[in-house]
Amino acid sequence: MKLGCCYYPAHWPEDWWADDARRMAEMGLHHIRIGEFAWSRIEPEPGTYDWGWLDRAIETLGAAGLSVVLGTPTATPPKWLIDAHPDILALDRDGRPRGFGSRRHYCFSSETYRAECARIVEALATRYGQNPAVGAWQTDNEYGCHDTTLSYSPNAAKRFRDWLAQRYQSVEALNRAWGTVFWSEEFRSFDEVDPPNLTVTEANPSHRMDYQRFASDEVVSFNRVQTEIIRRLSPGRDITHNFMAFHPSFDHFALGRDLDIASWDSYPLGNLESSWFSDAEKARYLKTGHPDVQAFNHDAYRAAGRGRWWVMEQQPGPVNWARYNPAPIDGMVRAWSWEAFAHGAETVSYFRWRQAPFAQEQMHAGLNRPDRSLDQGGKEARQVADELKTLGALGPCAKAPVALVLSYEAQWHLRIQPQGAGFAWVVLAFEFYQALRRMGLDIDVVPPNADFSGYKLVICPSEPMLTAAQLDGMIASGAHVLFGPRTGSRTVEGRIPDVLPPGPLRAKLPFKVNRVESLRPGIAPMVLVDDKRLSGRLWREQIETALEPWATFEHGGPAWVGQGKLSYLATWPESELTDAIVQKLARSAGLATGHMPEGVRLRTRDGVTFAFNYSPETRDAPAPRDAKFLLGAAEMPPGGVSAWRFA
Ligand code: GAL
């Protein structure tokens, strides 16, 4: 378990570098990520490389005993490159080029850009691939950030047509799959198909879904151009990419297969402010971040990295990019770092070593202030480094007892066809995740085709395009499996299944969905479960079945149907209903559960249980009475961390 930071040597006078490197090492940092936006300094003129400064920066860091994570600079193609090849620019939904002057202005489908990226990565990996100070690589930076996955350029259109030809083989098959007969949209050849933008009203949902799948594949193949070069020229070094919280625009599991390590950028306060949470939640966790957001992403990226993952950018103080940018309470940067380790992180790296006095992110804190003095985040990073030495190494996380299925296909489909405002997959999934965490459970967040063996409980929040193979994998595990609303409601082409929803699930759980309705806020479908009357929201399905329901709607009809270990929910449950359902299932699955005090969360790694207090009040750690604390104590202040060895 190591610490690191992101460093931009080109932002600082060269005569500061050695002192920076010495202080980093002294503080206990190890992995130093550099270079990911430095194209204009590496290649100031077309074909003219200036390696001198980068040679010296890497040497200085290496000489201090630090290990460099070298970023490829492809998130920021320089001005001369864009001017020479304007077709590198992505086009937005309205067909406008994305202008030069910030970052991520490129189109994943530009063949010119892919060739230019291959060239710069080849040059970098040739020069530094065997350098002993370079320990790892990061490709690009935050694919998809600033809404940049989908581009509607002529390059994208061309590659989309090829992609469709591969997928459907004949245009007749495409017409059938999409139902293009509907509005006289039938195509005579793949060449007639355009990207689904600039239409008068909504484009065909199957067309949009395929465009999203195509765009996701483009990100994966774009990244692969780089990983293949780096593997060839820099063998033995780990390759990673830094993902973002909850980011839905491409399949991270697919991209993760080309990496050695998944990493993600954790900005707890920025993410809370910028996500869907209520004003009350934003106010309550203003200075700590939401108790489950970091954990959810840690658990998802652990799966994307097949067990190996880092936090590449950890928020060190106030950021600059949310609507409001509060400062964390003292101790919170430390707590976030420990929480990542508790969820299995190999490394936590802070963004950034020092606050920049200029340009877009000058209001973003670093571990140090612009005048080189240590800021609060830096003090806490040092504390974590000291504590890591005392605690010693921990092995990886064991398989959790519960799996929550994260589906990109579900996210895309439900964005394209929400049918009720606010029907967002991520919110539904996160609410199940929270309910599990309120019970103190460890969770794995896994893809729909995961190896489910060994899980006792599987929660599939909603998988509209569920396939028979995915279903078989879940069932074969012998776990209790809960499917959320809309599961099995579409074929992979986007049709309503001939047998009606839940499609393939009907063969295993005999019911069918005859009608669905979405409901505006304030209209709550009430559910009777045991002797309680609890609320759903937004969604209600009318189910026909001979099975005895596990819960019913107050106004009649099954709300939760089940048989043996499989069950299906016909509404979106509010939190008390979610708790009731998940608790019953956990009990049937024989899981030992607790009840976490508000804001307190647990995670176990290699026999050590960690507790975190996200609430603004002091809380008791849910530790055994005779626990011997490795970190903290029985009483946890706000932002407190306690850890004890699990008997
Ligand atoms: C990340 C990005 C960094 C920096 C940071 C600021 O999204 O990767 O380059 O912009 O945000 O919080």
Side-chain angles (χ1 to χ4, degrees):
M1 297 185 305
K2 297 227 153 48
L3 297 180
C5 76
C6 307
Y7 183 53
Y8 300 90
H11 296 185
W12 310 106
E14 193 165 332
D15 61 8
W16 293 15
W17 296 357
D19 183 56
D20 283 344
R22 183 188 56 75
R23 287 180 53 220
M24 287 170 189
E26 216 173 71
M27 262 175 78
L29 305 184
H30 181 70
H31 293 291
I32 313 299
R33 186 193 66 180
I34 66 170
E36 80 279 10
F37 300 120
W39 198 328
S40 69
R41 285 294 171 98
I42 293 171
E43 191 183 9
E45 299 284 339
T48 308
Y49 298 100
D50 179 2
W51 298 117
W53 71 273
L54 192 51
D55 289 352
R56 293 191 297 281
I58 291 175
E59 197 190 309
T60 306
L61 294 167
L66 301 165
S67 177
V68 170
V69 179
L70 192 52
T72 67
T74 53
T76 46
K79 182 79 168 88
W80 57 257
L81 183 55
I82 296 298
D83 286 348
H85 304 284
D87 72 301
I88 288 175
L89 294 177
L91 298 196
D92 72 10
R93 208 160 277 116
D94 296 322
R96 291 173 310 192
R98 309 203 86 168
F100 179 83
S102 65
R103 58 180 173 183
R104 303 216 56 76
H105 34 290
Y106 69 83
C107 173
F108 284 101
S109 301
S110 163
E111 311 259 2
T112 315
Y113 194 51
R114 285 178 179 230
E116 287 294 319
C117 290
R119 185 179 61 74
I120 192 78
V121 172
E122 177 108 19
L124 266 173
T126 302
R127 189 154 189 103
Y128 301 113
Q130 311 279 351
N131 187 309
V134 173
W137 292 81
Q138 176 186 294
T139 54
D140 205 285
N141 191 79
E142 292 191 341
Y143 290 132
C145 186
H146 315 305
D147 191 16
T148 51
T149 295
L150 293 175
S151 162
Y152 299 88
S153 68
N155 290 319
K158 182 183 164 299
R159 287 174 61 97
F160 180 46
R161 291 175 191 128
D162 294 345
W163 184 93
L164 290 172
Q166 279 277 328
R167 186 176 175 91
Y168 291 103
Q169 302 292 313
S170 78
V171 77
E172 293 75 24
L174 177 145
N175 282 319
R176 255 194 321 276
W178 291 6
T180 51
V181 62
F182 185 66
W183 276 343
S184 224
E185 196 195 324
E186 285 165 296
F187 301 109
R188 292 167 305 156
S189 81
F190 289 111
D191 294 339
E192 290 186 346
V193 187
D194 286 322
N197 63 326
L198 300 173
T199 54
V200 173
T201 181
E202 65 173 308
N204 182 312
S206 297
H207 185 174
R208 290 177 65 192
M209 184 72 188
D210 272 344
Y211 202 65
Q212 175 59 70
R213 287 175 173 136
F214 154 75
S216 175
D217 287 355
E218 288 290 87
V219 178
V220 173
S221 64
F222 178 92
N223 182 67
R224 193 173 297 145
V225 170
Q226 304 198 11
T227 56
E228 282 175 355
I229 295 169
I230 297 167
R231 286 203 193 291
R232 174 164 48 81
L233 296 169
S234 191
R237 268 79 169 173
D238 287 322
I239 305 179
T240 189
H241 173 77
N242 56 335
F243 299 122
M244 289 175 290
F246 298 122
H247 187 79
S249 78
F250 61 93
D251 183 339
H252 293 54
F253 297 119
L255 194 137
R257 286 194 281 274
D258 291 325
L259 305 175
D260 300 296
I261 302 173
S263 58
W264 78 284
D265 298 342
S266 179
Y267 291 93
L269 304 191
N271 287 332
L272 173 69
E273 180 59 39
S274 312
S275 299
W276 63 86
F277 300 101
S278 66
D279 284 346
E281 286 170 296
K282 287 183 181 177
R284 176 138 193 98
Y285 302 120
L286 181 80
K287 287 172 153 290
T288 57
H290 191 287
D292 297 302
V293 166
Q294 290 64 251
F296 182 99
N297 288 282
H298 295 333
D299 290 344
Y301 292 122
R302 190 174 58 250
R306 298 176 312 285
R308 296 195 61 196
W309 69 280
W310 296 12
V311 169
M312 186 59 87
E313 299 181 13
Q314 173 62 65
Q315 176 167 357
V319 301
N320 64 305
W321 46 263
R323 258 160 65 85
Y324 304 99
N325 298 294
I329 55 169
D330 287 355
M332 212 56 220
V333 172
R334 164 184 175 255
W336 293 327
S337 311
W338 272 113
E339 193 175 32
F341 287 126
H343 284 254
E346 293 181 2
T347 294
V348 174
S349 153
Y350 301 92
F351 183 89
R352 47 188 275 161
W353 170 246
R354 185 162 44 233
Q355 180 176 356
F358 49 76
Q360 281 91 329
E361 291 177 354
Q362 60 194 152
M363 296 298 287
H364 193 300
L367 296 180
N368 293 276
R369 304 184 188 93
D371 71 349
R372 305 164 85 178
S373 61
L374 197 64
D375 204 345
Q376 177 63 24
K379 293 182 190 151
E380 294 182 28
R382 180 147 65 192
Q383 184 184 348
V384 177
D386 292 342
E387 290 170 337
L388 277 168
K389 279 189 226 137
T390 335
L391 192 93
L394 292 179
C397 287
K399 202 164 194 175
V402 185
L404 184 128
V405 180
L406 192 174
S407 165
Y408 290 97
E409 289 253 315
Q411 299 192 63
W412 302 335
H413 168 69
L414 293 170
R415 275 176 169 231
I416 290 167
Q417 226 173 42
Q419 179 67 5
F423 202 117
W425 181 93
V426 68
V427 180
L428 179 62
F430 188 74
E431 290 180 9
F432 278 112
Y433 182 83
Q434 282 183 277
L436 294 162
R437 297 251 300 163
R438 285 193 285 265
M439 292 160 58
L441 290 167
D442 285 351
I443 304 148
D444 289 341
V445 175
V446 302
N449 60 355
D451 170 9
F452 289 96
S453 60
Y455 291 118
K456 295 208 159 65
L457 175 61
V458 174
I459 307 276
C460 181
S462 178
E463 183 61 292
M465 296 184 175
L466 179 76
T467 65
Q470 291 166 350
L471 179 60
D472 289 347
M474 294 178 207
I475 293 177
S477 68
H480 289 254
V481 188
L482 173 70
F483 296 97
R486 305 176 77 163
T487 296
S489 58
R490 290 290 186 281
T491 66
V492 286
E493 294 84 17
R495 293 175 69 95
I496 294 172
D498 293 342
V499 295
L500 290 191
L505 182 54
R506 280 198 65 180
K508 313 286 179 186
L509 192 57
F511 72 96
K512 74 173 176 170
V513 179
N514 282 338
R515 168 180 279 187
V516 301
E517 61 178 333
S518 56
L519 304 164
R520 36 175 45 259
I523 316 276
M526 300 308 294
V527 174
L528 306 173
V529 48
D530 299 333
D531 51 354
K532 295 197 209 84
R533 181 177 175 269
L534 301 172
S535 173
R537 73 167 187 265
L538 184 59
W539 192 258
R540 176 165 51 195
E541 300 184 354
Q542 214 180 73
I543 281 181
E544 183 184 323
T545 183
L547 295 173
E548 186 64 33
W550 291 6
T552 52
F553 287 115
E554 188 173 48
H555 295 294
W560 185 20
V561 278
Q563 178 175 262
K565 291 182 168 178
L566 294 186
S567 64
Y568 177 93
L569 199 53
T571 186
W572 177 314
E574 287 284 19
S575 66
E576 284 181 48
L577 180 55
T578 316
D579 284 343
I581 289 168
V582 168
Q583 273 163 21
K584 276 178 84 121
L585 289 171
R587 219 172 299 130
S588 313
L591 296 174
T593 61
H595 181 75
M596 292 302 106
E598 184 275 330
V600 173
R601 293 294 185 263
L602 293 181
R603 222 310 162 174
T604 295
R605 173 175 180 175
D606 194 19
V608 176
T609 299
F610 293 81
F612 303 92
N613 180 12
Y614 274 88
S615 92
E617 290 112 33
T618 297
R619 295 274 189 246
D620 290 335
R625 214 181 304 252
D626 57 351
K628 284 199 188 46
F629 288 96
L630 306 171
L631 287 173
E635 202 178 77
M636 294 192 295
V641 181
S642 298
W644 58 93
R645 203 164 283 284
F646 182 89

